[in-house]
Amino acid sequence: MLIRTISFLIILLINLVFCEDVCYKDKCQKSTPQNRYLFYDVNPPEGFNLRRDVYMRLVSLMHKLKHTNNPDLNKFKLVLPPWSHLVHWRYRETPEYLPWSKFFDIESLQRFAPVIELHEYFSDLEPFKYTKLILDRVYILQHFEDMFETGNFEERWKVEKCHKPPKLKYFYYANITSNTVKCISFHGPATKLQEIFLKTNARTILIEHAEVVLHNTFGDKIYWQSRRSMRFNVKIRKIASDFRNSYLNSSDELDNTILEQNWEDEKPKRNAIGGPYLAVHLRRRDFVRARVNEIPDFNSVYSQISKKLDELKLHSVFIATDSPEKEFNELKSKFDKKYEVYRYIAPPEIEKEYHEAGVAIIDQIICSHARYFIGTSESTFSFRIQEEREILGFRTNTTYNVLCKNKNNCKKPSVWQIVY
Ligand SMILES: Nc1nc2c(ncn2[C@@H]2O[C@H](COP(=O)(O)OP(=O)(O)OP(=O)(O)O)[C@@H](O)[C@H]2O)c(=O)[nH]1
Ligand SMILES: *[C@@H]1O[C@H](CO)[C@@H](O)[C@H](O)[C@H]1NC(C)=O
Ligand SMILES: *[C@@H]1O[C@H](CO)[C@@H](O)[C@H](O)[C@H]1NC(C)=O
Ligand SMILES: *[C@@H]1O[C@H](CO)[C@@H](O)[C@H](O)[C@H]1NC(C)=O
């Protein structure tokens, strides 16, 4: 009995000493010793398309770290946060925990840098079912409070008092926590995070408010490689292709938009033709209220679209929009028989399987393949379409166009070309 008790105590002691990372039903162990894991999360109100941009900033850092000789830095893997409770999605009681594989081609992502999904992080640690993950370090990024007052925009970071009280659990899982949470005022590119990583031997690090970090170099080669690697998965692309085929007489062969199997083999090109339709991204909802001076009324939208259709000698317009059906029908009714107006309406089973994000992605893919695209000024949703058209090889004058409030108020979007 005594021996049993002693050995039990020894096991308990071993567990307490080595049990920082992951605990299972009956024992705890360190996460795979050769790797370090970077978890990240984004300010909850940010939409799907801004989150894609934040991913690019962090994965570009991962790509750089992988190629360094520093053993403390080159073993990092980026853990992809499941998609849950996005504010634009209709609210659901329970978090969705949608994995990235639902939308993206994971192999394609992994060709750029080591990334794994949160659920894979757990299954990596099988055969034990995990019960709890205690992250070694959580760093909550925040802006320097004085940055805008003093105009001090130099790159810097400093552990400071938290502007807001920290969360106690992460990714909507009750059992992902941490005992070491620090707030860091931060201004600089993603690569600056290395300085923080070098100051700790933590193996599991969570960066909260990752949107605070900036791109290293906006529009450079690494930027576009990370963007090219963000391919949507085959199933979603197929739904969009079927729609293009059925309604818009559009296919990659006819439109000259075939991409290489592997994005690493792609080269810049300007020979895409696109399907015989005009595509418009018409951002409504909160934009109508928040950007009164930029969002045109439907009469104006109609006249801008019909003018362009005539100019391009096209008869079909595809409209991607977040507007309710009633509002959309009001716009549609302005088009006479001369033009065909299309919108993608997801069948219930597709809506159920892919949620609002998937349906929006299908809209984006269809817009990306049009002969000519008109977006909404300053919408992140439109930016992602513009990037996709760069990758597909469209001429810039068919891509960087936006709906105008009126003739005197028409800001052309910035052109971000792929040049290598
Ligand atoms: N299906 C569909 N959904 C859209 C469209 N435009 C916006 N949405 C929805 O509205 C959400 C908000 O747009 P996002 O671009 O993702 O959000 P954001 O990152 O805040 O970007 P902004 O457009 O700049 O607000 C999207 O995630 C979609 O759910 C559209 O054309 N079609
Ligand atoms: C931890 O959370 C996951 C997801 O909700 C769940 O599957 C698992 O059973 C939880 N474990 C415990 C001990 O609560
Ligand atoms: C579809 O496009 C092709 C090539 O551009 C054209 O030859 C064909 O007539 C079109 N079909 C229809 C139904 O419009
Ligand atoms: C875009 O520019 C090219 C070359 O300057 C021109 O040939 C083409 O007609 C333009 N396309 C449109 C849609 O304006």
Side-chain angles (χ1 to χ4, degrees):
M1 187 60 202
L2 185 66
I3 291 177
R4 272 237 211 119
T5 312
I6 287 174
S7 62
F8 176 78
L9 283 176
I10 288 174
I11 289 170
L12 192 73
L13 192 69
I14 290 173
N15 278 353
L16 286 176
V17 172
F18 295 101
C19 188
E20 290 150 27
D21 284 2
V22 181
C23 300
Y24 303 96
K25 278 229 169 62
D26 42 3
K27 50 175 116 172
C28 297
Q29 78 171 48
K30 280 226 150 260
S31 54
T32 328
Q34 61 271 30
N35 287 322
R36 298 180 85 185
Y37 293 94
L38 180 64
F39 298 70
Y40 77 98
D41 207 353
V42 178
N43 189 24
E46 302 297 349
F48 187 80
N49 287 293
L50 184 95
R51 284 163 194 263
R52 283 168 67 187
D53 194 68
V54 174
Y55 167 82
M56 284 167 65
R57 302 174 210 174
L58 292 177
V59 83
S60 297
L61 167 65
M62 291 293 113
H63 175 88
K64 288 209 164 160
L65 295 186
K66 191 177 82 177
H67 293 99
T68 65
N69 299 323
N70 187 333
D72 290 331
L73 293 177
N74 64 15
K75 305 273 186 332
F76 264 106
K77 287 190 180 191
L78 186 66
V79 182
L80 304 173
W83 303 95
S84 276
H85 278 340
L86 265 67
V87 289
H88 298 100
W89 300 1
R90 261 162 285 156
Y91 186 78
R92 288 176 181 80
E93 282 293 305
T94 45
E96 296 90 340
Y97 304 123
L98 301 180
W100 282 56
S101 61
K102 190 158 264 311
F103 308 120
F104 296 98
D105 177 340
I106 300 293
E107 264 177 48
S108 174
L109 299 181
Q110 285 171 337
R111 264 186 217 122
F112 180 66
V115 301
I116 63 165
E117 306 235 37
L118 187 61
H119 69 83
E120 286 175 311
Y121 175 85
F122 292 126
S123 58
D124 266 8
L125 302 165
E126 294 261 287
F128 312 102
K129 188 170 157 33
Y130 80 96
T131 54
K132 198 168 195 179
L133 168 62
I134 304 170
L135 296 159
D136 292 341
R137 289 279 185 290
V138 173
Y139 297 115
I140 304 172
L141 302 187
Q142 56 192 20
H143 293 288
F144 281 98
E145 273 185 326
D146 67 351
M147 191 164 74
F148 292 98
E149 287 158 33
T150 59
N152 176 0
F153 290 106
E154 70 183 295
E155 292 177 9
R156 54 186 170 139
W157 66 272
K158 197 170 171 227
V159 177
E160 287 192 327
K161 211 169 134 256
C162 296
H163 298 174
K164 276 190 246 151
K167 277 197 287 199
L168 300 174
K169 47 185 194 176
Y170 305 100
F171 309 112
Y172 302 101
Y173 282 106
N175 54 16
I176 303 184
T177 60
S178 178
N179 301 321
T180 315
V181 181
K182 290 198 170 108
C183 287
I184 294 186
S185 299
F186 186 96
H187 183 70
T191 36
K192 203 160 183 66
L193 292 173
Q194 290 178 74
E195 296 170 17
I196 300 173
F197 301 161
L198 284 171
K199 283 204 172 5
T200 167
N201 53 15
R203 295 205 168 276
T204 50
I205 299 177
L206 165 61
I207 299 289
E208 282 235 289
H209 283 277
E211 75 282 356
V212 169
V213 307
L214 306 172
H215 281 285
N216 280 314
T217 316
F218 197 86
D220 69 352
K221 185 168 184 174
I222 300 262
Y223 175 94
W224 281 108
Q225 283 180 322
S226 71
R227 181 60 183 80
R228 281 189 157 127
S229 74
M230 288 192 94
R231 284 195 174 173
F232 295 123
N233 74 31
V234 175
K235 282 187 183 161
I236 288 208
R237 285 187 306 196
K238 168 114 179 23
I239 300 169
S241 308
D242 289 349
F243 185 91
R244 286 163 55 208
N245 249 307
S246 308
Y247 300 103
L248 299 164
N249 195 17
S250 165
S251 71
D252 290 338
E253 291 75 19
L254 291 174
D255 304 350
N256 215 15
T257 47
I258 298 176
L259 290 178
E260 301 287 343
Q261 199 65 16
N262 177 348
W263 59 262
E264 291 168 298
D265 302 328
E266 280 170 28
K267 303 204 171 49
K269 53 185 179 186
R270 293 282 166 208
N271 57 2
I273 301 165
Y277 59 98
L278 171 68
V280 177
H281 172 230
L282 180 67
R283 183 76 163 78
R284 299 284 300 172
R285 290 200 288 193
D286 47 313
F287 266 45
V288 180
R289 288 181 301 269
R291 296 166 191 250
V292 181
N293 296 323
E294 281 122 66
I295 300 292
D297 63 31
F298 281 170
N299 282 330
S300 167
V301 171
Y302 167 74
S303 76
Q304 292 176 58
I305 293 176
S306 57
K307 185 164 160 253
K308 194 50 83 178
L309 283 167
D310 292 345
E311 208 178 292
L312 300 168
K313 302 192 169 57
L314 294 173
H315 309 286
S316 303
V317 56
F318 175 82
I319 301 178
T321 182
D322 54 348
S323 75
E325 196 178 337
K326 194 161 158 252
E327 213 183 72
F328 176 77
N329 287 337
E330 188 194 322
L331 171 64
K332 192 177 168 182
S333 70
K334 298 191 185 298
F335 289 82
D336 41 39
K337 296 258 149 47
K338 227 167 97 190
Y339 310 107
E340 307 246 21
V341 183
Y342 295 93
R343 180 184 196 182
Y344 176 74
I345 307 279
E349 66 276 12
I350 288 184
E351 168 106 39
K352 186 158 176 279
E353 168 85 19
Y354 294 104
H355 296 247
E356 284 86 337
V359 176
I361 287 169
I362 294 164
D363 266 348
Q364 285 182 313
I365 300 176
I366 301 169
C367 287
S368 307
H369 285 84
R371 188 140 315 157
Y372 193 93
F373 173 67
I374 306 177
T376 293
S377 181
E378 284 171 22
S379 159
T380 319
F381 190 103
S382 290
F383 293 157
R384 300 290 90 85
I385 296 170
Q386 292 166 355
E387 291 161 0
E388 201 71 27
R389 291 176 64 84
E390 277 294 312
I391 290 168
L392 288 167
F394 283 94
R395 283 178 177 277
T396 54
N397 60 354
T398 71
T399 292
Y400 296 95
N401 311 292
V402 289
L403 292 166
C404 306
K405 175 75 182 178
N406 54 51
K407 277 205 193 68
N408 308 324
N409 190 354
C410 202
K411 227 184 329 167
K412 274 261 164 197
S414 318
V415 176
W416 294 101
Q417 289 191 58
I418 305 186
V419 286
Y420 32 75

